[in-house]
Amino acid sequence: MILVTGGAGFIGSNFVHDWLSCEEEPLVNVDKLTYAGNPDNLAGLKGDERHVFIHGDIGDAGLIADLLDKYQPRAVVNFAAESHVDRSIHGPDEFIQTNIVGTFRLLETVRAYWTGLNGPSKAAFRFLHVSTDEVYGSLERDEPAFRETNQYQPNSPYSASKAASDHLVRAYHHTYGLPVLTTNCSNNYGPYQFPEKLIPLVIHNALAGKPLPIYGDGRQIRDWLYVTDHCRAVCRVLEAGRIGETYNIGGWSEKANLDVVHALCDILDELRPLSGEWGVGSGPSQLPTSHSPLSTYRSLITFVKDRPGHDRRYAIDATKIERELGWKPAETFESGMRKTVQWYLDHESWVRNVTSGAYRDWVSRQYGAKVGSGE
């Protein structure tokens, strides 16, 4: 048995699905179900006795202690986090509470459980903490990609809170001997991603005939990693990673945001071509007046004011995990992006269910009323 936290979110739910498709070992899944934790992500697991879902907070020490005592997991995999940079700029408090205070309380509870284990169970136990490349800061175009030895230089409340959680995990290993592993991944994409992040937002807006918002000049560069590749890497680190070590997980796929949006538009042009004067939207009120009729989704691209402190480039050097553990991504950018677009086309009801009124209000505040609401 393993215990997974944040297993109803984007990456966490993909990990749960991937684990149960590859392993016979059951898991307990704890998630607070905030805006990005979605029970619909786990709907396909209904009736699977290997999956035990618990609605709860990693900061609830009593709950976590009870679960550890009841299920006696051999490992804890911590995906639980507030993870969106833009939200952290507008409201950092939740990021501090979940990513720092929550991680601290989880570590304390897990440490007490691990201390009480005996013999082989204690030696085999692992605490795996999932983090982000954003803790390393920003790179210039000609700088080498982030390695595990890079100095931390977080530039947003989100990345600062994740950096703090990473430091706590490291400290609990060096101070108390807790057998920890840390992974820092690049930008994930794929199924079940909440449509405030770039790729699902673009797909959702394009299918609705709404503008596709691009921050600044769109030349911010990210390393893109298909989420299932990330999940397989986490499994491999849990299986064979060296205690106390950090492993960077990347896709070896640096792309500018604008190039990503162009690729999405081109795939949509092929898989869901625009038809009629107003394309796939519900009417002219959704489209910029200068863009009718439309022949390509690229016509919907709209540049908006850049966000404060926007990091220019992230890139991951994933040499260590390949050298030590034999992992490398199975998907190329092109194959992963095509799978992602097809998934969203096949699961439009999922998108409708998660795009609540609260989400639409947030998009309007973030990108402007016209882009957010289509007005």
Side-chain angles (χ1 to χ4, degrees):
M1 172 73 76
I2 67 169
L3 188 148
V4 175
T5 68
F10 163 45
I11 302 175
S13 63
N14 274 281
F15 178 83
V16 169
H17 282 284
D18 190 66
W19 180 271
L20 293 174
S21 70
C22 298
E23 306 285 344
E24 291 298 323
E25 188 175 12
L27 61 80
V28 176
N29 180 359
V30 181
D31 198 289
K32 191 177 178 180
L33 296 181
T34 57
Y35 71 95
N38 184 359
D40 284 352
N41 295 357
L42 306 169
L45 300 175
K46 187 176 181 180
D48 190 333
E49 295 182 353
R50 297 172 301 156
H51 178 242
V52 179
F53 179 77
I54 305 294
H55 181 199
D57 187 344
I58 60 171
D60 185 341
L63 171 66
I64 300 299
D66 288 344
L67 293 175
L68 293 171
D69 181 63
K70 178 178 179 180
Y71 292 103
Q72 296 287 300
R74 67 172 181 88
V76 172
V77 183
N78 181 34
F79 291 98
E82 297 287 343
S83 65
H84 192 42
V85 173
D86 293 338
R87 285 183 182 266
S88 80
I89 292 170
H90 290 287
D93 182 75
E94 291 182 3
F95 291 75
I96 304 304
Q97 291 303 315
T98 295
N99 298 353
I100 302 178
V101 178
T103 300
F104 158 69
R105 290 178 177 160
L106 179 63
L107 283 165
E108 277 286 274
T109 310
V110 170
R111 178 170 71 94
Y113 165 73
W114 170 75
T115 300
L117 294 175
N118 294 309
S121 295
K122 187 171 186 178
F125 183 81
R126 299 290 185 269
F127 180 93
L128 195 157
H129 176 65
V130 178
S131 190
T132 172
D133 60 358
E134 296 189 41
V135 299
Y136 297 121
S138 183
L139 290 169
E140 297 297 329
R141 181 175 290 273
D142 59 350
E143 287 186 289
F146 297 129
R147 302 181 71 179
E148 291 82 355
T149 53
N150 273 65
Q151 179 180 340
Y152 275 27
Q153 295 182 318
N155 291 321
S156 70
Y158 161 60
S159 57
S161 67
K162 287 299 290 183
S165 70
D166 292 6
H167 290 319
L168 283 170
V169 171
R170 175 184 170 86
Y172 269 67
H173 172 62
H174 285 275
T175 302
Y176 304 112
L178 188 68
V180 306
L181 300 155
T182 299
T183 59
N184 294 88
C185 70
S186 57
N187 277 35
N188 279 218
Y189 66 96
Y192 301 114
Q193 189 170 27
F194 193 77
E196 67 186 357
K197 299 294 181 75
L198 177 65
I199 288 172
L201 176 66
V202 166
I203 296 171
H204 176 61
N205 277 18
L207 294 176
K210 295 179 180 180
L212 311 181
I214 306 293
Y215 280 133
D217 62 3
R219 303 315 303 179
Q220 303 87 356
I221 294 173
R222 302 294 183 259
D223 175 30
W224 294 94
L225 175 66
Y226 189 63
V227 66
T228 302
D229 280 332
H230 182 198
C231 295
R232 300 289 168 81
V234 170
C235 287
R236 183 61 183 146
V237 173
L238 183 62
E239 177 185 33
R242 290 186 288 133
I243 292 174
E245 289 293 313
T246 295
Y247 294 91
N248 282 352
I249 303 171
W252 297 109
S253 183
E254 290 187 53
K255 302 287 183 183
N257 287 346
L258 184 58
D259 294 335
V260 172
V261 175
H262 284 163
L264 288 169
C265 289
D266 294 347
I267 295 170
L268 284 168
D269 283 339
E270 177 188 344
L271 299 181
R272 184 69 65 84
L274 291 159
S275 59
E277 183 179 0
W278 301 107
V280 297
S282 64
S285 63
Q286 288 188 300
L287 300 170
T289 56
S290 60
H291 291 312
S292 55
L294 297 179
S295 59
T296 172
Y297 289 98
R298 289 194 184 199
S299 302
L300 293 169
I301 291 173
T302 302
F303 292 93
V304 299
K305 182 180 178 182
D306 210 352
R307 73 183 179 204
H310 200 171
D311 290 335
R312 196 65 177 170
R313 174 176 169 244
Y314 306 140
I316 280 287
D317 183 333
T319 300
K320 178 179 176 179
I321 189 173
E322 181 174 353
R323 182 183 67 247
E324 291 192 10
L325 305 180
W327 175 90
K328 58 183 179 180
E331 300 293 342
T332 64
F333 175 80
E334 291 74 19
S335 66
M337 199 62 64
R338 182 170 290 273
K339 286 183 177 181
T340 299
V341 173
Q342 189 64 62
W343 187 89
Y344 281 94
L345 291 176
D346 293 341
H347 294 83
E348 291 184 56
S349 62
W350 180 91
V351 176
R352 286 194 298 271
N353 288 341
V354 301
T355 50
S356 66
Y359 163 72
R360 290 193 297 272
D361 290 344
W362 184 87
V363 173
S364 294
R365 290 197 306 273
Q366 187 61 29
Y367 296 112
K370 184 176 181 179
V371 172
S373 66
E375 297 177 355

